[in-house]
Each structure stands twice: as structure tokens, then as C-alpha cells.
Amino acid sequence: MSSPKHDLFIAGQWVSGASYQPNVNPSNHEDVLGYYAQADLPLVETAVAAAHQAFDSWSVSGIQQRSDALAFIGAELIARQFELGALLAREEGKTRKEAIAEVVRAGQIFHFFAGECLRMTGDILPSVRPGVSVEVSREAVGVVGVITPWNFPIAIPAWKIAPALAYGNCVVFKPADVVPGSAWALAEIISRSGIPAGVFSLVMGSGRVVGECLVNHPNISAMTFTGSTGTGMQIAQKCAAQLKKVQLEMGGKNPQVVLDDADLRQAVELSVQSAFFSTGQRCTATSRFIVTEGIHDRYVAAMKERIAQLRVGDALADDTDIGPVASRSQLEQDLSYVQIGRDEGATLAIGGTLLERGTPGNYLAPALFTETHNQMRINREEIFGPVATVIRVKDYEEALAVANDTPFGLSAGIATTSLKYASHFKRHSQAGMVMVNVATAGVDYHVPFGGRKASSYGAREQGQYAKEFYTIVKTAYTFS
């Protein structure tokens, strides 16, 4: 049986691509989910032109029309959570349970912004000049280019596309090459939501062709990107040269502090969830465990025991705790950092080896390094896989200093029973999101998401804070 072809969605029509690429299951390299269209430059130009043309009417469309469209999308995502979750697990490698939860989260995001369409507010103020009133309102930015990563192939597109449409923008969407299936499924639902032609387009393809065109196109008013710090910095520079609005979510090297007074069992469980679930492929994942010396040895022993219990296997298998690494190139990067850690003198306490399962896949045993210090490359650079380190410190003060000694600042956690240290850490941690006795990976859909330093740039994503990026403020004066 041949694998189906999946086209691009441009200007309200399904359009053949310039070429097609296979979508390969990382749990089983012999399983091809389908062939997905790749856009060339003329196709991207067509999508941008259609969005630019559609913007004038969509940006002033009725809020009920927008709300109904987003509610439709959200409802179908949730109704099809098991089907789409299986697709997501099959193409990205996270477990079926995690994948289903991601689809539900995407549906919830669309429902949230369906409500936001109806909650648009402004201000009417008196002027300092008699007889003049002042109205402050928000308007859509324009055509938004959306570039998303492979690790959350339906949730991250949802939290960019939903607010963009809710506030009256048009969208040209480029997903990551590794995970076209989830993006295509989302686009297919959006295509039936009732939004006018041109308001939303799906242009799959390489960053060199599709991404470069979106970033540099004069009719793209804003760019929102989630991915590597290096690529994000390049996008920021190009957008700044055009005075184009830009929003970036990039890397992380997130710390988890474990103090002597922590509940050991709780600390180990949240550490394992933070570092290794979703195969460690989350920008909010913990990669540095900073542990005070009084609990260090007990913590390391308990972590090794818990990691040894984790079942690595096919993403669709019910007994799998951790699926495969998403792609061969990412697996090679993970393995290279395991070797770097060894060369730097760290102790590989457990894992870090390739595993064989019933099918050819990207299976890697979760790795934990001990006896590390914060200047090692494995503690400075983002690995983005199931590889974590332990750093021994003397006390809370040193732990905080080490936690903040990083070019990144997305998420940070602390395990402690002390209200004093918990409160101090929340205030003094140099991260955009702080977790107390909660895993660093895992956030709600209705509150702001983002970090500091090299982790984020621009306005926050998600929740009501999303309007700061997807709208512009207008002040109007009226003499009566």
C-alpha cells in the first residue's frame, strides 16, 4: 500500500508542492506516514499575497465570526484527540499519553482564544483639553509569519495561530520539517472552520526557502518563531533591519535546585519528569540538577534507581515511559554530548547508550552525569534530549548562584520544604517561569509563557498577554 500525498493549503485551496518529502516514524524507520508537499518560492509568494489581500476584511470582521471559527477548531481537536494523538506520537516519538494530552491542550488553546475574541477591551478617557475625548483600542498587526519547532508539533502552532486569528491577523504557517503530519492535520481542520480564503495558509518546506521568504517579505508584518537560539538571533536581526515586529522563544538550560530539606521521593519524581519525559525534548526540560551536599548522595542513588525503571520503547506502546528521539540528526547530537561529557571528565552514572527494540528506531537510554561543574559544555549548551547532569553545591546560596549562571533563562525549579528558600528563589531566580516542588516542564495554556536572556525575545506567548504581540495600540481623539 502506497503512502498518501499531502498538499499545501494556500489561498483557500489545496495545492500541489514543488516536491514531496517522506514523514518517517522515529519508533520504526520502516514506517512512512506519508509524503508531504514542499513549497518553493513562488508558492510562498502566493500564500503571502493571498494573506495580504485578505487582511483588510478579516481584520475588521465580526468578533462572533472569529470566535465561532476558533471554537470549531478547538472542538474538533478535542473530539479527535485519540486519533490525532496517535498521529503525533507516531511522527514525533513522544508517548501516546503525552501526545493525546498535547492535542487536548491545543484544543483548549483554541477555545480560550475563541473567548478572547469576545473579551477585547479598550479605554475611553477624558482629554486634558475640554470637549475632547480619547479612545484607546487595539488593532491587528497584519500578516503574521509563524515558524514552529518539531517538539510540540500541534500545541505550539496552536498557541501562535489561535491568538493571531483571534485578534484579526492573517497567518502564513511554516511547521518544522520533521513533523509535517500534525501541522497538516491542524491545517485541514482550520480549512473547514469557515475563515475566508487567504486568512490562513500552510506552506511546508525548508527554512532556507520558506523561512527566509517569510522573514524577509515586505508584506509580512510580524514574525513569531520557536526554535534554536542561533536561528532566532538571525531572525531578530533581519526583522530589526525591516522594523518588523518579532517574537522569539528559543533555548534553555534549565536548573532544578534540590535542597537538603527536600522530600527525596518528590524531588526525584519531579526531576525525572522534568528531564526525561517527552524524551527530554522540551525547551522547559531540566538539564541541570543543582543539589546541596547534605542530600546529594541519597539523591543520586535514588535517581539512578528511578531512571533504571523507565521503559524506553515504541511511542504507541502502552507500557512505554519514554519514546525515541525525534530524528536521526537529533540522536546524533545527543550522543555527541554524551561523549563530550565523558571527555570533560564527568561521570556517566547511568544511560547514554543506544538501545535495540523490536523495530529500527532512535532509542536512547536516558543519561545522567554526576561529578560535573557548571563550566562544562554539558552544563552550558542546550542538548535537547534525555541527557541531564548533577552539580554538587554547598548550600542554597551557592545553588542559586549556579542556577543563575547561564546564558539562558526560561524555566527554573526548586525542591524544598522551606517557605523561606522557596520565596527567595521565586524572587531571585533569573528565569521567566519558576516552579516550586513542581516539574520545570509543563505549563498551563491560559497564563503567559516565556523566559529571559537568550531564551526569549519580545512579548510573552499564551493567555491574555498574547495580545501584546498580535495587536498594536491606537489612540484616537474626538472633539465633540
Side-chain angles (χ1 to χ4, degrees):
M1 182 177 178
S2 61
S3 299
K5 285 187 174 183
H6 298 82
D7 291 335
L8 309 167
F9 186 71
I10 298 175
Q13 302 291 326
W14 292 102
V15 179
S16 297
S19 61
Y20 289 79
Q21 295 290 337
N23 186 9
V24 178
N25 181 350
S27 294
N28 181 1
H29 297 160
E30 297 172 352
D31 176 27
V32 177
L33 284 72
Y35 290 83
Y36 288 80
Q38 304 289 290
D40 58 12
L41 190 57
L43 287 169
V44 183
E45 292 278 3
T46 300
V48 175
H52 185 66
Q53 183 176 1
F55 175 73
D56 285 346
S57 58
W58 178 250
S59 61
V60 295
S61 60
I63 57 175
Q64 191 64 58
Q65 178 188 5
R66 291 185 227 158
S67 178
D68 289 346
L70 297 184
F72 171 89
I73 299 165
E76 183 158 335
L77 285 168
I78 292 173
R80 295 172 59 191
Q81 60 184 272
F82 299 107
E83 169 203 348
L84 297 176
L87 168 66
L88 197 163
R90 192 173 158 211
E91 76 164 351
E92 195 273 345
K94 66 182 58 177
T95 65
R96 186 198 301 266
K97 180 180 179 181
E98 291 174 320
I100 291 170
E102 181 178 337
V103 175
V104 171
R105 178 180 176 182
Q108 291 167 334
I109 290 167
F110 274 97
H111 276 306
F112 177 86
F113 284 104
E116 285 295 277
C117 293
L118 309 178
R119 291 190 287 263
M120 287 292 290
T121 60
D123 297 298
I124 297 178
L125 306 168
S127 171
V128 296
R129 293 168 287 177
V132 176
S133 63
V134 182
E135 180 182 351
V136 182
S137 59
R138 289 183 177 272
E139 296 182 353
V141 173
V143 180
V144 178
V146 173
I147 301 179
T148 59
W150 48 260
N151 60 324
F152 283 88
I154 201 161
I156 292 179
W159 80 49
K160 294 179 184 291
I161 294 168
L165 297 178
Y167 297 122
N169 300 281
C170 295
V171 170
V172 181
F173 169 39
K174 180 214 158 339
D177 292 345
V178 175
V179 287
S182 296
W184 191 93
L186 176 60
E188 195 279 328
I189 295 172
I190 294 174
S191 75
R192 294 183 283 101
S193 66
I195 64 173
V199 170
F200 170 85
S201 289
L202 169 69
V203 282
M204 299 177 287
S206 72
R208 187 179 65 258
V209 175
V210 179
E212 285 285 338
C213 181
L214 295 180
V215 170
N216 295 318
H217 204 290
N219 287 335
I220 295 288
S221 301
M223 285 297 308
T224 177
F225 165 85
T226 299
S228 71
T229 300
T231 301
M233 291 178 66
Q234 293 176 18
I235 291 174
Q237 292 168 357
K238 292 175 181 178
C239 288
Q242 306 166 71
L243 300 181
K244 181 178 296 186
K245 204 168 188 181
V246 62
Q247 176 188 65
L248 307 174
E249 289 298 337
M250 299 173 287
K253 198 64 183 172
N254 307 303
Q256 173 71 57
V257 171
V258 181
L259 298 184
D260 289 350
D261 64 6
D263 180 312
L264 181 60
R265 179 175 295 181
Q266 180 188 57
V268 167
E269 195 57 38
L270 68 86
S271 296
V272 167
Q273 290 182 21
S274 295
F276 302 121
F277 283 22
S278 294
T279 322
Q281 297 170 156
R282 297 182 283 193
C283 54
T284 53
T286 294
S287 53
R288 295 182 298 144
F289 299 119
I290 303 167
V291 186
T292 49
E293 56 188 5
I295 198 175
H296 177 275
D297 292 352
R298 289 183 292 128
Y299 174 82
V300 168
M303 281 289 288
K304 289 170 61 178
E305 181 180 354
R306 182 68 180 92
I307 293 169
Q309 296 169 354
L310 297 174
R311 295 181 294 271
V312 179
D314 190 306
L316 293 177
D318 292 336
D319 62 348
T320 293
D321 295 314
I322 298 174
V325 175
S327 68
R328 187 69 194 180
S329 62
Q330 185 60 47
L331 177 63
E332 291 171 356
Q333 177 173 305
D334 295 346
L335 289 170
S336 73
Y337 273 104
V338 170
Q339 187 58 50
I340 288 168
R342 286 171 166 160
D343 294 342
E344 290 182 310
T347 298
L348 184 58
I350 190 171
T353 57
L354 291 174
L355 300 174
E356 292 187 1
R357 294 296 182 258
T359 54
N362 307 326
Y363 298 112
L364 178 64
L368 183 70
F369 281 101
T370 60
E371 306 306 323
T372 78
H373 61 77
N374 205 45
Q375 299 311 309
M376 290 179 171
R377 286 182 61 189
I378 55 173
N379 283 322
R380 307 302 296 177
E381 301 171 11
E382 185 177 43
I383 300 173
F384 214 69
V387 181
T389 67
V390 178
I391 303 171
R392 187 197 302 258
V393 294
K394 179 181 178 181
D395 52 23
Y396 168 75
E397 287 72 24
E398 185 181 359
L400 176 64
V402 171
N404 287 336
D405 181 16
T406 173
F408 301 102
L410 182 56
S411 183
I414 186 169
T416 181
T417 55
S418 166
L419 179 59
K420 170 188 172 181
Y421 290 133
S423 299
H424 190 274
F425 189 80
K426 284 191 290 184
R427 175 63 183 85
H428 295 278
S429 171
Q430 296 172 4
M433 296 177 291
V434 180
M435 316 296 188
V436 177
N437 296 323
V438 178
T440 59
V443 294
D444 293 348
Y445 64 86
H446 67 301
V447 297
F449 176 95
R452 298 166 61 169
K453 299 190 262 189
S455 289
S456 299
Y457 182 83
R460 286 290 189 258
E461 297 194 289
Q462 298 199 102
Q464 293 184 343
Y465 285 76
K467 66 175 176 283
E468 300 299 332
F469 178 73
Y470 293 100
T471 65
I472 52 178
V473 175
K474 175 179 282 185
T475 305
Y477 295 84
T478 302
F479 177 75
S480 56

